[in-house]
Amino acid sequence: MSKSIAFLSILSSIPFLFFLSCSPPQNTSISLAGDWSVMLDPEDMGEQEKWYENAIEAKTISLPGTLAEADMGNDPGLEPALTDTIMFHLARNKYYTGKAWYQKVIDLPADWAESTSLLSFERILWQSKVWINGQEIGSESSVSTPHRYELGGVLRAGENTITVLVDNSFIHPGISFIHERYPTDESIGFSHAYSNHTQGKWNGIIGEMKLRKISSDEVSNLQLAYDETKNLLDVEATFFGDLDADESFTYTITSKNTTIASGDINGDGLGNSISLEIPLGEDVLKWDELNPNVYTFSFGKKGQPQKTTSLGLRDITADGEVLTLNGQRVFFRGNLDCAVYPIKGRVDMTKDGWENTFRIIKSYGFNHIRFHSWCPPKAAFEVADEMGLYLQAELPHWSLTVGEDEAALAFLEREADLILKEYGNHPSFVLMSLGNELEGDFSWLNNQVARLKAADPRRLYTTSTFSFQRGVGTQPQEEDEFLVTQWTDRGWVRGQGYFNDFPPRFDADYQDRLGHIETPIIAHEIGQYAVFPSLDEIDSYTGVAQPLNLQAVKNDLEEKGMLDLAPRFSKASGQLAGLLYKADIERNLKTPAYDGFQVLQLQDYPGHGTALIGLLDVFLESKGIMDSTEFRKFNAPVVPLIRHEKASYRSGEIFTAAIQVANFAEPIADYTIDWSISDGAETLSRGQLEGPVISRGNTDTLGMISESLEIYEAKKLNISVSIADTDYENDWSIWVFPEVEMPETDVVYTRSADEAISQLQAGKKVLFNPVADESIGESNRFGTIFWGQLLFKQVSNMGLLCEPEHAAFNDFPTDYHSDWQWWDLCTNSRIVTLDGLGVDPIVRVIDDFLTNRHLGLIFEAQVGEGQLLFSAIDLEENLDERIEARQLRYSLVNYMNSPAFDPEQNLEFNQILAAISSK
């Protein structure tokens, strides 16, 4: 069903004081920003003692702002430590949950006396209650939309006292759930609209704060619907007062202060609302990612102040199993926004702030942002409209017991209506979910989606952004218009289920696990590949958040003499994470049944166990891992791709790759594709493909690369593919290993500890390679930690760190970090703990930052009269097939044969055996 901009007929039942935020007439609006008096009410005595009747004798706070920004509240008294309490999330300078009273005296001119006015506060957490001059006006509850109050005749000329009670207590526990792993005070409030793991459970008033006079002739709410077939705009306007018959209205469509269309139109109202049709000319262009044609639409009674809203002509459709925008297939390259604001500890309400955030996100090639269990403010939608970003807003909802709390359900239903009414005109608002990973009563969720689809078909809806509930997350629900998932009934459909369990293949996709589902599918939270902390980030915390978690890691590293390694740990683990992100995204792009992905995420997430899973830090600053130009090679409207079988090849083997292009921009006519294979020093082969057109989509094979890899020394090769006369290019690494025979040597290779010690006592060079079973160290794998160890206990490997120039690698090509040629070696190895040995391993395993142990796979030592090189990587089994292991053993033996092999550390063999044994 088409999802053009349409009416919200069901929303007409909402009290009229919740209006679309529109530009008010000049000289009838008063900003309430500035100094307010504030008094905390932790014992909830204020209403009983009628604090609203008198001046609050308290501190002064600057609003918009929060108590934490004003350094008010309770001091947590925390210190850096590697404990659950500290490591679960950033600390804050002050905490306060409960009621707080805010009061301001304003002076009004005589013409405001007894006028009808509208008092609005753009964002408050949970509940507010207002008194004017001691008279109670009402209360409001929303975490996503403005709190608005109609003031009918209560204002007077001269001084007026506005008193606002704000309660940021956990009003509706049914929107969230309790997690047994979390410290008690943080076990609730998982929705990112209300959680100390993200923006914080702040108390205050933020965003626009104003009082303005209104008249019955003004538009209170304005909703637009684009009818693509008739090329006209349906307008539904609601007024503060009732309309007369045969009213005259005026409208204007502008772009950057240029009038595109305008005119007068007559119509008869029904009560206080009217529906009209306005024809559109060819000058009003459609809106999409590459053509963000956004307009300002103004409407009102002729001769009266006009109300304005965003206008973008776009039609989002679930066309069978694919998503289309304006009739063309669209692919969402999404990043998550988890409402992390370490400086102010609350959401940014300014266009400048969102412009900076979205500019960075878009520079990395993303066209889509999912707001995880929260809804952003007006400024975010406005900037997304202008930049051409597709937004997914969500209810503040992350519950495992949906349906059990009736009050929470009523709140969520009303919150959904408010969100659609407040932000529904924005063309960027293309997707909506009822929450994150919900479990419980899906009949209620389906009923709500059905209700919202009927009320506002301007976007697509889903019941839940994935679900772990048995029988739910693998298939779309009856009312789902799109499915966000990480697996189907046929298995995993994101890299987490592949990269550690199967040898690397680059010719595969997820089509066999998705193709049977006839609903558009978006990959759920792909990535989550942990990166070692960038400790330089600590100095950037100049606001309400305190990085006690990062400071604890720094202190532990310093105590263990490893602080100097931290920058290298961060870079090396980051390179592995970037490698996995690239493979994850490309596998998604190769899958015709996929309509997009949502990455978790480009930037770090410092909550829920300190999940440092970003290539950028929490401030969206670079960690020096991968810049936006490199990331856009595989994350852009057009991405060259190849399908090849594996990462490592034998010399003389034929390298075969199918060239594809994931093209979600305009068709590319008369194309030329250039490809090349190089070894870093010279180009070994190159070629071209030409054709009439690269169509929109990702299904066509455009040509093949087929080249014999006649390489007689182990090398890393680069495969590059680019589209001529465009900026679109991509590249991949493969490794080629020659057939080698172990050199003549006096090096003793053994798997036996007894033989190793006897040969060492005899003064021999010994390559000790015990069987990689459970008697040695701990298990290993290729990929870095998923998310973080506090929530997911797993192999403690954040990647490898080694010295590429070390003589041990003279015959084994490697960078300083893990890459695909290490997959088999890591998979067939055990991690050994080297604490206390004093050795600097040749191949180091980067430990999780909660434990910071000296870990390794290969190290060397002087043992008595002998010289030892130890390898926890299996260098014995099936070397005819395990060509990487064969080559590494060859390189290590050559190193031991050379004068460069001269271990510095003297150790007893019993020390080594004790260290490498499983604990």
Side-chain angles (χ1 to χ4, degrees):
M1 182 177 66
S2 175
K3 299 292 172 181
S4 303
I5 294 183
F7 292 126
L8 305 180
S9 57
I10 197 170
L11 302 181
S12 61
S13 62
I14 298 176
F16 72 90
L17 51 90
F18 298 98
F19 307 117
L20 183 69
S21 181
C22 299
S23 300
Q26 298 300 313
N27 73 22
T28 59
S29 180
I30 295 174
S31 171
L32 300 179
D35 289 342
W36 288 62
S37 297
V38 61
M39 182 178 292
L40 306 189
D41 187 9
E43 304 299 324
D44 192 15
M45 298 298 295
E47 288 190 86
Q48 180 180 331
E49 296 176 355
K50 300 181 179 180
W51 291 5
Y52 49 82
E53 290 186 349
N54 300 294
I56 293 176
E57 299 294 336
K59 296 181 179 180
T60 299
I61 186 172
S62 179
L63 297 179
T66 67
L67 295 178
E69 289 176 273
D71 201 32
M72 297 180 189
N74 303 314
D75 190 335
L78 300 174
E79 297 293 334
L82 293 176
T83 63
D84 281 9
T85 299
I86 298 301
M87 297 306 298
F88 262 112
H89 59 75
L90 296 170
R92 282 170 174 75
N93 60 338
K94 294 289 171 59
Y95 290 84
Y96 182 77
T97 302
K99 293 183 176 180
W101 293 74
Y102 301 87
Q103 192 176 83
K104 187 179 185 67
V105 177
I106 60 172
D107 192 58
L108 294 176
D111 60 353
W112 281 71
E114 300 184 0
S115 66
T116 300
S117 302
L118 192 67
L119 176 67
S120 60
F121 303 111
E122 188 172 357
R123 187 151 294 196
I124 291 174
L125 276 195
W126 288 116
Q127 290 188 343
S128 65
K129 198 169 188 178
V130 168
W131 291 261
I132 301 294
N133 300 323
Q135 178 179 337
E136 183 176 331
I137 303 302
S139 64
E140 260 311 315
S141 178
S142 175
V143 299
S144 308
T145 62
H147 291 204
R148 295 193 177 97
Y149 296 87
E150 185 197 0
L151 311 179
V154 300
L155 297 172
R156 59 197 180 203
E159 288 191 350
N160 290 262
T161 301
I162 303 174
T163 305
V164 184
L165 172 61
V166 173
D167 188 356
N168 71 330
S169 302
F170 199 30
I171 308 297
H172 294 295
I175 72 164
S176 191
F177 66 98
I178 296 174
H179 195 298
E180 61 184 10
R181 287 296 316 283
Y182 283 76
T184 303
D185 62 333
E186 298 304 333
S187 62
I188 57 176
F190 271 26
S191 162
H192 291 172
Y194 180 82
S195 169
N196 282 328
H197 292 264
T198 57
Q199 61 176 300
K201 301 175 183 178
W202 50 267
N203 190 306
I205 303 172
I206 63 175
E208 189 176 60
M209 307 168 58
K210 65 182 180 181
L211 177 68
R212 70 181 184 92
K213 285 199 297 185
I214 56 177
S215 73
S216 61
D217 288 331
E218 287 185 54
V219 175
S220 63
N221 183 260
L222 190 60
Q223 298 293 332
L224 309 177
Y226 171 50
D227 187 329
E228 184 180 24
T229 59
K230 297 179 181 179
N231 195 32
L232 57 81
L233 195 65
D234 290 321
V235 178
E236 183 176 281
T238 304
F239 290 77
F240 287 105
D242 287 342
L243 294 168
D244 296 327
D246 196 25
E247 293 268 17
S248 181
F249 305 92
T250 185
Y251 69 90
T252 307
I253 300 174
T254 59
S255 174
K256 299 178 181 178
N257 298 320
T258 299
T259 299
I260 305 298
S262 63
D264 297 332
I265 190 169
N266 291 335
D268 294 329
L270 179 63
N272 68 338
S273 65
I274 190 168
S275 298
L276 298 168
E277 292 183 345
I278 295 176
L280 298 171
E282 295 181 357
D283 291 338
V284 185
L285 305 176
K286 290 186 179 181
W287 181 95
D288 64 20
E289 165 194 359
L290 301 176
N291 304 282
N293 298 303
V294 61
Y295 302 95
T296 298
F297 181 80
S298 302
F299 180 84
K301 284 186 179 181
K302 195 168 184 179
Q304 295 296 323
Q306 303 283 290
K307 301 303 179 187
T308 65
T309 185
S310 296
L311 170 64
L313 307 186
R314 63 105 177 101
D315 181 29
I316 182 74
T317 304
D319 186 5
E321 63 184 27
V322 300
L323 292 176
T324 63
L325 187 78
N326 301 331
Q328 298 292 323
R329 190 176 174 198
V330 65
F331 192 93
F332 290 141
R333 305 181 305 279
N335 188 51
L336 261 64
D337 188 309
C338 296
V340 178
Y341 296 93
I343 299 300
K344 294 186 176 182
R346 47 82 169 178
V347 60
D348 195 322
M349 304 296 288
T350 68
K351 286 192 70 174
D352 286 348
W354 285 103
E355 283 170 357
N356 181 65
T357 296
F358 287 171
R359 175 184 53 78
I360 294 170
I361 298 299
K362 193 160 186 178
S363 74
Y364 279 79
F366 293 99
N367 66 356
H368 169 48
I369 298 174
R370 173 200 165 199
F371 291 88
H372 181 306
S373 62
W374 75 292
C375 180
K378 174 181 66 174
F381 289 102
E382 290 177 341
V383 175
D385 292 345
E386 296 164 3
M387 288 191 177
L389 287 167
Y390 308 128
L391 304 188
Q392 175 178 322
E394 297 184 356
L395 289 182
H397 193 196
W398 189 357
S399 171
L400 308 185
T401 56
V402 175
E404 294 184 9
D405 183 340
E406 291 187 3
L409 297 183
F411 168 80
L412 290 167
E413 183 172 337
R414 182 173 181 270
E415 193 82 342
D417 291 343
L418 291 173
I419 287 171
L420 294 179
K421 191 167 188 178
E422 191 69 28
Y423 311 118
N425 285 337
H426 293 283
S428 57
F429 189 3
V430 297
L431 301 177
M432 186 173 181
S433 169
L434 300 192
N436 176 69
E437 297 175 0
L438 301 174
E439 299 182 33
D441 184 1
F442 267 81
S443 63
W444 184 86
L445 293 168
N446 274 291
N447 288 338
Q448 286 303 306
V449 168
R451 185 181 71 85
L452 295 174
K453 287 193 301 188
D456 182 3
R458 292 180 284 188
R459 62 199 46 79
L460 302 178
Y461 298 88
T462 193
T463 49
S464 175
T465 307
F466 188 58
S467 175
F468 288 99
Q469 184 168 322
R470 185 180 297 275
V472 173
T474 61
Q475 291 282 330
Q477 288 291 294
E478 177 184 353
E479 296 294 342
D480 286 345
E481 296 180 291
F482 65 101
L483 173 69
V484 183
T485 191
Q486 56 186 263
W487 55 54
T488 72
D489 53 334
R490 297 182 181 178
W492 281 96
V493 289
R494 71 179 190 187
Q496 182 192 353
Y498 284 88
F499 295 150
N500 286 312
D501 298 336
F502 302 98
R505 290 186 68 101
F506 306 94
D507 57 355
D509 57 34
Y510 303 114
Q511 190 66 20
D512 61 337
R513 300 187 176 194
L514 293 174
H516 62 296
I517 297 176
E518 296 181 357
T519 299
I521 305 172
I522 298 172
H524 177 246
E525 296 183 358
I526 71 172
Q528 306 184 55
Y529 304 118
V531 179
F532 198 86
S534 176
L535 298 177
D536 290 342
E537 179 187 325
I538 291 173
D539 293 338
S540 298
Y541 287 85
T542 59
V544 304
Q546 298 177 321
L548 301 183
N549 49 359
L550 299 184
Q551 189 63 53
V553 174
K554 183 176 182 179
N555 293 348
D556 191 54
L557 289 168
E558 188 168 23
E559 182 179 332
K560 294 175 178 177
M562 300 172 68
L563 187 58
D564 62 320
L565 289 169
R568 300 179 65 203
F569 287 171
S570 181
K571 292 286 181 65
S573 61
Q575 290 296 333
L576 174 56
L579 183 81
L580 297 174
Y581 276 113
K582 175 179 168 67
D584 225 346
I585 289 173
E586 288 186 350
R587 193 166 180 139
N588 191 289
L589 286 169
K590 292 172 184 175
T591 304
Y594 252 139
D595 296 278
F597 56 81
Q598 295 168 344
V599 169
L600 184 59
Q601 55 187 17
L602 180 62
Q603 68 278 23
D604 282 342
Y605 177 83
H608 299 299
T610 304
L612 307 181
I613 38 76
L615 301 182
L616 305 182
D617 69 19
V618 71
F619 302 99
L620 292 172
E621 296 288 341
S622 173
K623 296 180 183 178
I625 297 167
M626 181 183 292
D627 64 20
S628 60
T629 301
E630 189 68 20
F631 199 88
R632 280 201 312 274
K633 287 182 178 181
F634 55 87
N635 190 46
V638 179
V639 177
L641 299 166
I642 62 171
R643 290 180 183 258
H644 58 294
E645 180 183 357
K646 53 191 177 181
S648 297
Y649 293 79
R650 302 173 187 270
S651 180
E653 194 172 355
I654 303 297
F655 171 76
T656 302
I659 295 178
Q660 290 181 278
V661 174
N663 177 21
F664 294 97
E666 294 299 318
I668 302 173
D670 299 322
Y671 67 86
T672 298
I673 293 177
D674 297 302
W675 63 263
S676 66
I677 303 176
S678 67
D679 64 3
E682 62 177 327
T683 299
L684 306 180
S685 57
R686 64 172 68 247
Q688 279 190 340
L689 304 173
E690 295 181 342
V693 65
I694 301 176
S695 302
R696 197 177 184 109
N698 59 347
T699 60
D700 295 337
T701 296
L702 302 176
M704 301 294 296
I705 301 173
S706 183
E707 291 291 317
S708 178
L709 301 173
E710 300 294 339
I711 306 294
Y712 300 104
E713 60 180 284
K715 281 190 175 184
K716 173 185 175 181
L717 301 182
N718 177 269
I719 316 298
S720 176
V721 176
S722 61
I723 304 174
D725 301 319
T726 75
D727 295 328
Y728 301 122
E729 61 176 328
N730 203 354
D731 58 69
W732 304 265
S733 297
I734 62 171
W735 290 261
V736 183
F737 299 107
E739 298 293 335
V740 293
E741 298 290 338
M742 292 303 147
E744 294 291 330
T745 179
D746 59 357
V747 172
V748 176
Y749 173 85
T750 183
R751 314 202 83 175
S752 164
D754 290 340
E755 182 180 7
I757 186 59
S758 66
Q759 294 293 335
L760 288 167
Q761 289 172 344
K764 297 291 188 178
K765 296 178 181 180
V766 176
L767 175 51
F768 180 36
N769 183 212
V771 175
D773 61 19
E774 292 183 0
S775 66
I776 299 296
E778 57 194 69
S779 60
N780 195 14
R781 67 183 187 186
F782 175 72
T784 185
I785 287 170
F786 172 83
W787 190 255
Q789 289 281 39
L790 275 183
L791 285 191
F792 305 100
K793 296 302 180 184
Q794 57 201 293
V795 172
S796 194
N797 179 349
M798 299 190 75
L800 305 181
L801 177 65
C802 52
E803 296 287 349
E805 303 304 320
H806 194 290
F809 301 119
N810 282 352
D811 297 295
F812 185 85
T814 186
D815 290 302
Y816 67 91
H817 54 82
S818 300
D819 213 328
W820 291 114
Q821 89 277 26
W822 284 99
W823 190 93
D824 173 86
L825 301 172
C826 288
T827 302
N828 292 283
S829 70
R830 302 282 289 180
I831 301 172
V832 296
T833 301
L834 306 177
D835 290 332
L837 293 186
V839 298
D840 187 12
I842 295 171
V843 179
R844 181 186 292 274
V845 174
I846 302 169
D847 191 20
D848 177 66
F849 52 82
L850 296 179
T851 45
N852 297 313
R853 296 168 296 166
H854 284 278
L855 303 179
L857 300 180
I858 300 174
F859 67 88
E860 63 187 16
Q862 186 79 29
V863 181
E865 297 300 317
Q867 295 173 309
L868 172 74
L869 190 142
F870 170 86
S871 172
I873 301 169
D874 179 6
L875 303 176
E876 173 73 12
E877 298 296 328
N878 197 22
L879 295 190
D880 287 341
E881 298 299 323
R882 297 177 55 232
I883 57 177
E884 301 96 337
R886 183 187 64 196
Q887 188 68 37
L888 179 60
R889 178 170 168 175
Y890 176 80
S891 188
L892 293 177
V893 170
N894 280 341
Y895 164 58
M896 296 178 73
N897 271 338
S898 73
F901 181 53
D902 186 20
E904 295 181 2
Q905 185 69 12
N906 287 283
L907 295 174
E908 297 291 334
F909 195 69
N910 286 339
Q911 288 180 274
I912 295 171
L913 289 180
I916 67 175
S917 66
S918 60
K919 303 298 192 291

